[in-house]
Amino acid sequence: MFLVKGTIVSSTNQKNVNRTLILNTILKSQPISQVQLTKVLKISKSTVSRITFDLMQSGMLKSIGTTKSSKNGRNPSLIALNPDYRKSLVVKIGVNYSIIAIANFSMTFERVKIFKTKKDPERFVGYITEFVKKNISERVHSLSLSIPGIVDKDFQKIIIAPNLDWKNLLLAEMLKEKLDPLFDNSLKISMDNEANFAVIAEMMFGKKINEDDRNVIFILFGEGIGTGLVINGQLYRGRWNTAGEFGHMIVEMGGKKCHCGNSGCWERYASISQITREKISISGSKFLNTQLKSSTLKTYSTAVATGIANIVNGISPDVVIVGGTISKIWDEISQDVVRKVKEMSITPDAANVRIELSSFSEYPAELCGAALWSFWDVFEGPVLV
Ligand SMILES: [Zn+2]
């Protein structure tokens, strides 16, 4: 659950709520001064001061100097998340390329390595184990994996990752068996669908969400299409953690055969693999922006817009965020996509939906979300009922 400003809570957990609000605001706007925190959160100066003091004592926050200038000559000190408070191993599994890195508590990455995805699960686990042996000597708290597929509701098993041909794969257990002997502590291993990670990253520390946005759709375009849904301020998972498979909504009855078994699924027309056979690396592709014919881009933007319009008409979100490999050609197709979505929207109000490119560019949003997931016990805050 996301803790959003303005949530009505009982006074008994008000202190925990304020603590989470302060941590979340620092995550989004760090470095920040106590004065700014008071202004943004509209909670008293003394509460902010008391809670930030406690958080500094516990090692979660650190002071990082002062603001440049202030009118009365006193420069308020700036606070930020302490990167050394906790570290986690994070992996983004891509269909062709994957990323492994150490995420620290301030959501930055160290020892980042991009590698070709080993399609054999045993070899994949072997690669991660070797990386850990060679690169990690310090204590890491957990391992979070971003999956291009559906994960079970306990976040331990891959139900299906169709483009990797992985089914009912107990990946967490396989990794635990190899990695636990390498650490003093037992590693907490957890995974989730990549689009869920992308949308939580965008909600919690992206730059495209307005304060009153409650319904947010993140659409990840790559080899397939994944969507992460935030409905009324909450990540929507559905009954079995399988919600968001809009890549498999049928846009053409009896259309192109899809690996899911159906025909005419949206991702058979609008995933990036439909316009290039090239295996696109994480850092992108020159081919994508130089070699594609304008007619190909036009057809492609119609396919992209058709699916987005279906989702917009069905869910009526505040904002649709697109990410993944599509970012390499978004400049060329965005105007066309936005215009076509407007034309296909069911009402003039629906047509005003914002369609934006993800604010994460240095590292994919799903990797940032995997990092956040590692520290979710801190940032999620108390569950409010
Ligand atoms: Zn399908």
Side-chain angles (χ1 to χ4, degrees):
M1 140 172 255
F2 299 108
L3 195 50
V4 287
K5 244 170 81 183
T7 312
I8 310 234
V9 294
S10 69
S11 60
T12 45
N13 64 3
Q14 188 64 57
K15 192 182 165 204
N16 286 337
V17 169
N18 284 339
R19 182 179 177 275
T20 309
L21 286 173
I22 286 173
L23 278 164
N24 289 358
T25 307
I26 295 170
L27 168 67
K28 197 158 197 162
S29 313
Q30 62 179 335
I32 188 168
S33 69
Q34 290 195 24
V35 178
Q36 286 169 299
L37 278 171
T38 309
K39 246 188 236 168
V40 172
L41 292 171
K42 297 185 178 68
I43 48 183
S44 77
K45 225 166 130 183
S46 61
T47 304
V48 168
S49 158
R50 195 181 60 245
I51 293 173
T52 52
F53 178 80
D54 288 349
L55 292 170
M56 293 239 195
Q57 292 288 307
S58 68
M60 285 192 202
L61 300 182
K62 66 185 246 183
S63 175
I64 58 152
T66 57
T67 51
K68 278 191 187 138
S69 63
S70 68
K71 284 174 204 152
N72 61 12
R74 285 186 60 207
N75 298 340
S77 71
L78 293 170
I79 42 182
L81 298 168
N82 177 7
D84 300 324
Y85 175 66
R86 240 201 236 169
K87 292 192 176 183
S88 174
L89 191 58
V90 286
V91 181
K92 172 213 149 54
I93 304 180
V95 174
N96 298 313
Y97 292 89
S98 298
I99 311 179
I100 185 165
I102 305 290
N104 64 45
F105 191 65
S106 66
M107 257 32 100
T108 51
F109 299 103
E110 303 164 14
R111 282 160 274 174
V112 180
K113 185 151 174 64
I114 299 175
F115 62 99
K116 249 186 142 172
T117 306
K118 319 284 171 212
K119 307 252 164 127
D120 171 53
E122 295 281 352
R123 285 188 63 215
F124 187 88
V125 169
Y127 186 92
I128 305 284
T129 311
E130 281 309 303
F131 176 89
V132 170
K133 279 185 189 163
K134 282 188 196 142
N135 293 282
I136 301 174
S137 53
E138 73 268 53
R139 184 186 168 91
V140 291
H141 172 261
S142 55
L143 163 59
S144 294
L145 302 115
S146 155
I147 308 294
I150 297 175
V151 168
D152 77 309
K153 60 186 179 46
D154 297 321
F155 312 111
Q156 297 295 299
K157 183 169 93 173
I158 297 173
I159 308 270
I160 184 165
N163 290 308
L164 286 167
D165 211 13
W166 290 357
K167 273 183 199 159
N168 296 319
L169 183 66
L170 294 163
L171 188 60
E173 199 178 296
M174 289 168 73
L175 284 160
K176 210 165 172 47
E177 200 178 298
K178 298 282 183 202
L179 296 179
D180 265 359
L182 306 178
F183 294 98
D184 296 337
N185 55 310
S186 172
L187 206 61
K188 183 177 169 261
I189 302 179
S190 183
M191 61 187 85
D192 201 0
N193 169 273
E194 57 184 2
N196 283 351
F197 278 163
V199 80
I200 65 168
E202 205 66 64
M203 279 298 284
M204 298 285 278
F205 61 116
K207 307 287 177 211
K208 299 292 173 77
I209 306 294
N210 294 342
E211 206 175 308
D212 58 349
D213 288 341
R214 290 289 180 270
N215 302 299
V216 177
I217 312 290
F218 194 113
I219 311 177
L220 207 47
F221 293 85
E223 291 287 319
I225 295 178
T227 51
L229 316 175
V230 167
I231 307 284
N232 203 20
Q234 309 301 320
L235 184 65
Y236 181 76
R237 294 185 173 280
R239 177 72 179 86
W240 299 106
N241 201 25
T242 59
E245 286 302 320
F246 282 109
H248 298 283
M249 72 179 152
I250 293 163
V251 293
E252 186 184 2
M253 283 196 288
K256 293 185 197 175
K257 196 90 191 133
C258 180
H259 47 238
C260 73
N262 290 330
S263 297
C265 296
W266 184 35
E267 73 172 40
R268 290 291 282 116
Y269 302 84
S271 64
I272 289 290
S273 47
Q274 301 310 309
I275 50 169
T276 173
R277 289 190 182 281
E278 188 193 24
K279 293 199 184 328
I280 301 148
S281 81
I282 306 262
S283 51
S285 160
K286 280 192 180 125
F287 176 87
L288 265 185
N289 26 26
T290 55
Q291 303 288 312
L292 291 173
K293 284 191 274 178
S294 67
S295 59
T296 306
L297 286 174
K298 269 215 149 15
T299 310
Y300 182 66
S301 65
T302 304
V304 169
T306 302
I308 295 179
N310 283 341
I311 296 171
V312 166
N313 288 336
I315 291 182
S316 185
D318 301 298
V319 57
V320 173
I321 296 173
V322 300
T325 322
I326 202 172
S327 56
K328 309 298 170 198
I329 52 167
W330 186 244
D331 279 354
E332 278 102 311
I333 64 168
S334 62
Q335 275 191 340
D336 214 18
V337 170
V338 170
R339 182 177 53 79
K340 285 169 180 164
V341 171
K342 270 186 194 295
E343 284 168 10
M344 288 183 263
S345 292
I346 204 76
T347 65
D349 280 340
N352 286 330
V353 65
R354 287 159 26 234
I355 301 173
E356 311 250 16
L357 187 64
S358 170
S359 50
F360 295 89
S361 54
E362 189 179 0
Y363 297 109
E366 56 274 31
L367 188 75
C368 300
L372 180 59
W373 185 247
S374 306
F375 311 121
W376 198 236
D377 56 317
V378 173
F379 294 100
E380 185 191 27
V383 174
L384 307 171
V385 287

